Amino acid sequence: AYPHKNHSFLFQSAHKIFTEFPNSKIVMTIEEPDSFPERIECLGEISARQVNEFMNRDDVVLLFPSVKETLGLPLIEALEADIPIVVSDLPFAHEICGEAALYFQPGNVESLISSLQKIRVMPNWKRQKRNIDIYGRIAIHLRSLVDHG
């Protein structure tokens, strides 16, 4: 129950996502809510080993709809694992991911679908080692949080 994580947006967008990507499913690390769309799997809390196993699969995209974050650990894990990232187009995400992610307008399913489609048609978004200083970006982001609250 963290509204800023924007999980409800994924539930509301599921039909359109699965229509556009019929062989996909969404796996979330949240407790299973009372009702949610088919093809969304809710795992609850998982171990660091399980996170690494997911991040090392070839068919994984991090879909991060959060509208407010202080750090966004899944973004860092995805950058480290070099998997495609689709994230809300907000300052915290740009500070952490820079050009290493695809962005969508929060709450806009068409924008989300457009970003996901780019992964399908742009092979350079799949498993491409990005020349970015992940930990330097984290340090800059954390400094920004300290300076601006």
Side-chain angles (χ1 to χ4, degrees), residues 75-82 95-96 100 129-140:
L75 295 172
I76 296 163
E77 292 166 332
L79 286 167
E80 188 67 32
D82 195 38
E95 288 176 2
I96 295 170
K129 274 293 180 198
R130 299 174 186 97
N131 294 322
I132 60 169
D133 177 7
I134 296 169
Y135 299 102
R137 295 192 74 81
I138 294 167
I140 290 167

mmCIF file of all heavy atoms in Angstrom, residues 75-82 95-96 100 129-140:
data_model
loop_
_atom_site.group_PDB
_atom_site.id
_atom_site.type_symbol
_atom_site.label_atom_id
_atom_site.label_comp_id
_atom_site.label_asym_id
_atom_site.label_seq_id
_atom_site.Cartn_x
_atom_site.Cartn_y
_atom_site.Cartn_z
ATOM 1 N N LEU A 75 15.847 0.377 -10.053
ATOM 2 C CA LEU A 75 16.495 1.021 -11.193
ATOM 3 C C LEU A 75 17.992 0.734 -11.189
ATOM 4 O O LEU A 75 18.582 0.431 -12.226
ATOM 5 C CB LEU A 75 16.255 2.534 -11.170
ATOM 6 C CG LEU A 75 14.810 2.981 -11.338
ATOM 7 C CD1 LEU A 75 14.689 4.483 -11.107
ATOM 8 C CD2 LEU A 75 14.284 2.592 -12.701
ATOM 9 N N ILE A 76 18.594 0.820 -10.024
ATOM 10 C CA ILE A 76 20.029 0.562 -9.900
ATOM 11 C C ILE A 76 20.325 -0.898 -10.227
ATOM 12 O O ILE A 76 21.282 -1.206 -10.952
ATOM 13 C CB ILE A 76 20.515 0.935 -8.483
ATOM 14 C CG1 ILE A 76 20.328 2.442 -8.264
ATOM 15 C CG2 ILE A 76 21.971 0.527 -8.274
ATOM 16 C CD1 ILE A 76 20.389 2.868 -6.826
ATOM 17 N N GLU A 77 19.494 -1.806 -9.713
ATOM 18 C CA GLU A 77 19.687 -3.228 -9.998
ATOM 19 C C GLU A 77 19.556 -3.504 -11.496
ATOM 20 O O GLU A 77 20.338 -4.273 -12.060
ATOM 21 C CB GLU A 77 18.676 -4.057 -9.211
ATOM 22 C CG GLU A 77 18.911 -4.019 -7.718
ATOM 23 C CD GLU A 77 17.748 -4.550 -6.895
ATOM 24 O OE1 GLU A 77 16.581 -4.476 -7.366
ATOM 25 O OE2 GLU A 77 18.009 -5.022 -5.776
ATOM 26 N N ALA A 78 18.605 -2.872 -12.146
ATOM 27 C CA ALA A 78 18.416 -3.073 -13.586
ATOM 28 C C ALA A 78 19.572 -2.486 -14.381
ATOM 29 O O ALA A 78 20.013 -3.076 -15.378
ATOM 30 C CB ALA A 78 17.095 -2.462 -14.032
ATOM 31 N N LEU A 79 20.075 -1.333 -13.969
ATOM 32 C CA LEU A 79 21.240 -0.755 -14.641
ATOM 33 C C LEU A 79 22.442 -1.687 -14.509
ATOM 34 O O LEU A 79 23.171 -1.922 -15.477
ATOM 35 C CB LEU A 79 21.574 0.619 -14.051
ATOM 36 C CG LEU A 79 20.648 1.764 -14.420
ATOM 37 C CD1 LEU A 79 20.911 2.967 -13.525
ATOM 38 C CD2 LEU A 79 20.785 2.127 -15.889
ATOM 39 N N GLU A 80 22.639 -2.193 -13.320
ATOM 40 C CA GLU A 80 23.763 -3.103 -13.064
ATOM 41 C C GLU A 80 23.629 -4.384 -13.887
ATOM 42 O O GLU A 80 24.609 -4.901 -14.410
ATOM 43 C CB GLU A 80 23.836 -3.426 -11.572
ATOM 44 C CG GLU A 80 25.058 -4.185 -11.164
ATOM 45 C CD GLU A 80 26.353 -3.395 -11.295
ATOM 46 O OE1 GLU A 80 26.343 -2.167 -11.125
ATOM 47 O OE2 GLU A 80 27.388 -4.030 -11.574
ATOM 48 N N ALA A 81 22.400 -4.893 -14.016
ATOM 49 C CA ALA A 81 22.151 -6.123 -14.770
ATOM 50 C C ALA A 81 22.078 -5.872 -16.270
ATOM 51 O O ALA A 81 22.049 -6.811 -17.053
ATOM 52 C CB ALA A 81 20.859 -6.774 -14.296
ATOM 53 N N ASP A 82 22.030 -4.616 -16.666
ATOM 54 C CA ASP A 82 21.965 -4.231 -18.081
ATOM 55 C C ASP A 82 20.715 -4.773 -18.767
ATOM 56 O O ASP A 82 20.774 -5.336 -19.855
ATOM 57 C CB ASP A 82 23.227 -4.676 -18.815
ATOM 58 C CG ASP A 82 23.368 -3.994 -20.167
ATOM 59 O OD1 ASP A 82 23.033 -2.804 -20.267
ATOM 60 O OD2 ASP A 82 23.800 -4.653 -21.136
ATOM 61 N N GLU A 95 17.766 11.393 -13.140
ATOM 62 C CA GLU A 95 18.986 11.514 -12.353
ATOM 63 C C GLU A 95 19.681 10.173 -12.185
ATOM 64 O O GLU A 95 20.901 10.100 -12.200
ATOM 65 C CB GLU A 95 18.680 12.114 -10.977
ATOM 66 C CG GLU A 95 18.337 13.582 -11.013
ATOM 67 C CD GLU A 95 17.938 14.128 -9.644
ATOM 68 O OE1 GLU A 95 17.966 13.371 -8.645
ATOM 69 O OE2 GLU A 95 17.589 15.315 -9.582
ATOM 70 N N ILE A 96 18.911 9.113 -12.034
ATOM 71 C CA ILE A 96 19.491 7.789 -11.826
ATOM 72 C C ILE A 96 19.849 7.111 -13.151
ATOM 73 O O ILE A 96 20.940 6.577 -13.311
ATOM 74 C CB ILE A 96 18.538 6.899 -11.008
ATOM 75 C CG1 ILE A 96 18.375 7.476 -9.600
ATOM 76 C CG2 ILE A 96 19.054 5.462 -10.938
ATOM 77 C CD1 ILE A 96 17.279 6.838 -8.783
ATOM 78 N N ALA A 100 20.040 5.761 -20.196
ATOM 79 C CA ALA A 100 20.019 4.301 -20.169
ATOM 80 C C ALA A 100 18.620 3.734 -19.945
ATOM 81 O O ALA A 100 18.474 2.566 -19.617
ATOM 82 C CB ALA A 100 20.966 3.795 -19.082
ATOM 83 N N LYS A 129 25.546 -3.254 -23.089
ATOM 84 C CA LYS A 129 26.289 -2.644 -21.985
ATOM 85 C C LYS A 129 26.342 -1.145 -22.230
ATOM 86 O O LYS A 129 26.745 -0.674 -23.272
ATOM 87 C CB LYS A 129 27.715 -3.198 -21.897
ATOM 88 C CG LYS A 129 27.804 -4.463 -21.100
ATOM 89 C CD LYS A 129 27.502 -4.176 -19.660
ATOM 90 C CE LYS A 129 27.581 -5.414 -18.818
ATOM 91 N NZ LYS A 129 26.919 -5.285 -17.554
ATOM 92 N N ARG A 130 25.874 -0.426 -21.255
ATOM 93 C CA ARG A 130 25.841 1.018 -21.382
ATOM 94 C C ARG A 130 27.045 1.602 -20.667
ATOM 95 O O ARG A 130 27.390 1.182 -19.579
ATOM 96 C CB ARG A 130 24.556 1.560 -20.774
ATOM 97 C CG ARG A 130 23.334 1.010 -21.490
ATOM 98 C CD ARG A 130 22.066 1.439 -20.778
ATOM 99 N NE ARG A 130 20.932 0.799 -21.389
ATOM 100 C CZ ARG A 130 20.372 -0.310 -20.928
ATOM 101 N NH1 ARG A 130 20.834 -0.901 -19.868
ATOM 102 N NH2 ARG A 130 19.346 -0.826 -21.534
ATOM 103 N N ASN A 131 27.684 2.536 -21.293
ATOM 104 C CA ASN A 131 28.846 3.186 -20.696
ATOM 105 C C ASN A 131 28.397 4.318 -19.797
ATOM 106 O O ASN A 131 28.484 5.485 -20.149
ATOM 107 C CB ASN A 131 29.786 3.712 -21.787
ATOM 108 C CG ASN A 131 30.402 2.580 -22.573
ATOM 109 O OD1 ASN A 131 30.741 1.550 -21.999
ATOM 110 N ND2 ASN A 131 30.528 2.762 -23.871
ATOM 111 N N ILE A 132 27.888 3.943 -18.625
ATOM 112 C CA ILE A 132 27.469 4.953 -17.661
ATOM 113 C C ILE A 132 28.094 4.633 -16.318
ATOM 114 O O ILE A 132 28.355 3.472 -15.996
ATOM 115 C CB ILE A 132 25.932 5.042 -17.529
ATOM 116 C CG1 ILE A 132 25.346 3.711 -17.064
ATOM 117 C CG2 ILE A 132 25.282 5.483 -18.817
ATOM 118 C CD1 ILE A 132 23.896 3.810 -16.675
ATOM 119 N N ASP A 133 28.335 5.634 -15.584
ATOM 120 C CA ASP A 133 28.883 5.494 -14.243
ATOM 121 C C ASP A 133 27.699 5.404 -13.279
ATOM 122 O O ASP A 133 27.211 6.412 -12.786
ATOM 123 C CB ASP A 133 29.773 6.693 -13.924
ATOM 124 C CG ASP A 133 30.318 6.659 -12.519
ATOM 125 O OD1 ASP A 133 30.122 5.651 -11.815
ATOM 126 O OD2 ASP A 133 30.943 7.661 -12.120
ATOM 127 N N ILE A 134 27.233 4.176 -13.033
ATOM 128 C CA ILE A 134 26.037 3.966 -12.216
ATOM 129 C C ILE A 134 26.207 4.592 -10.840
ATOM 130 O O ILE A 134 25.359 5.338 -10.368
ATOM 131 C CB ILE A 134 25.717 2.461 -12.081
ATOM 132 C CG1 ILE A 134 25.379 1.855 -13.443
ATOM 133 C CG2 ILE A 134 24.563 2.236 -11.096
ATOM 134 C CD1 ILE A 134 25.310 0.352 -13.443
ATOM 135 N N TYR A 135 27.310 4.299 -10.196
ATOM 136 C CA TYR A 135 27.482 4.752 -8.818
ATOM 137 C C TYR A 135 27.763 6.247 -8.748
ATOM 138 O O TYR A 135 27.385 6.897 -7.776
ATOM 139 C CB TYR A 135 28.532 3.890 -8.123
ATOM 140 C CG TYR A 135 28.052 2.454 -8.099
ATOM 141 C CD1 TYR A 135 28.546 1.512 -8.989
ATOM 142 C CD2 TYR A 135 27.020 2.074 -7.250
ATOM 143 C CE1 TYR A 135 28.051 0.222 -9.004
ATOM 144 C CE2 TYR A 135 26.513 0.789 -7.260
ATOM 145 C CZ TYR A 135 27.033 -0.145 -8.146
ATOM 146 O OH TYR A 135 26.528 -1.402 -8.164
ATOM 147 N N GLY A 136 28.363 6.801 -9.780
ATOM 148 C CA GLY A 136 28.514 8.258 -9.845
ATOM 149 C C GLY A 136 27.157 8.937 -9.952
ATOM 150 O O GLY A 136 26.902 9.952 -9.304
ATOM 151 N N ARG A 137 26.259 8.353 -10.752
ATOM 152 C CA ARG A 137 24.906 8.900 -10.899
ATOM 153 C C ARG A 137 24.151 8.815 -9.577
ATOM 154 O O ARG A 137 23.411 9.717 -9.211
ATOM 155 C CB ARG A 137 24.145 8.174 -12.008
ATOM 156 C CG ARG A 137 24.743 8.375 -13.393
ATOM 157 C CD ARG A 137 23.816 7.888 -14.472
ATOM 158 N NE ARG A 137 22.711 8.802 -14.646
ATOM 159 C CZ ARG A 137 22.755 9.926 -15.356
ATOM 160 N NH1 ARG A 137 23.879 10.285 -15.924
ATOM 161 N NH2 ARG A 137 21.699 10.685 -15.482
ATOM 162 N N ILE A 138 24.324 7.699 -8.861
ATOM 163 C CA ILE A 138 23.671 7.550 -7.561
ATOM 164 C C ILE A 138 24.176 8.628 -6.600
ATOM 165 O O ILE A 138 23.387 9.250 -5.893
ATOM 166 C CB ILE A 138 23.923 6.142 -6.983
ATOM 167 C CG1 ILE A 138 23.248 5.084 -7.857
ATOM 168 C CG2 ILE A 138 23.415 6.049 -5.543
ATOM 169 C CD1 ILE A 138 23.684 3.679 -7.555
ATOM 170 N N ALA A 139 25.482 8.836 -6.581
ATOM 171 C CA ALA A 139 26.053 9.844 -5.684
ATOM 172 C C ALA A 139 25.502 11.232 -5.995
ATOM 173 O O ALA A 139 25.145 11.989 -5.083
ATOM 174 C CB ALA A 139 27.575 9.841 -5.795
ATOM 175 N N ILE A 140 25.390 11.568 -7.267
ATOM 176 C CA ILE A 140 24.844 12.870 -7.665
ATOM 177 C C ILE A 140 23.389 12.979 -7.230
ATOM 178 O O ILE A 140 22.946 14.002 -6.694
ATOM 179 C CB ILE A 140 24.988 13.068 -9.187
ATOM 180 C CG1 ILE A 140 26.470 13.258 -9.533
ATOM 181 C CG2 ILE A 140 24.157 14.253 -9.675
ATOM 182 C CD1 ILE A 140 26.772 13.158 -11.018
#
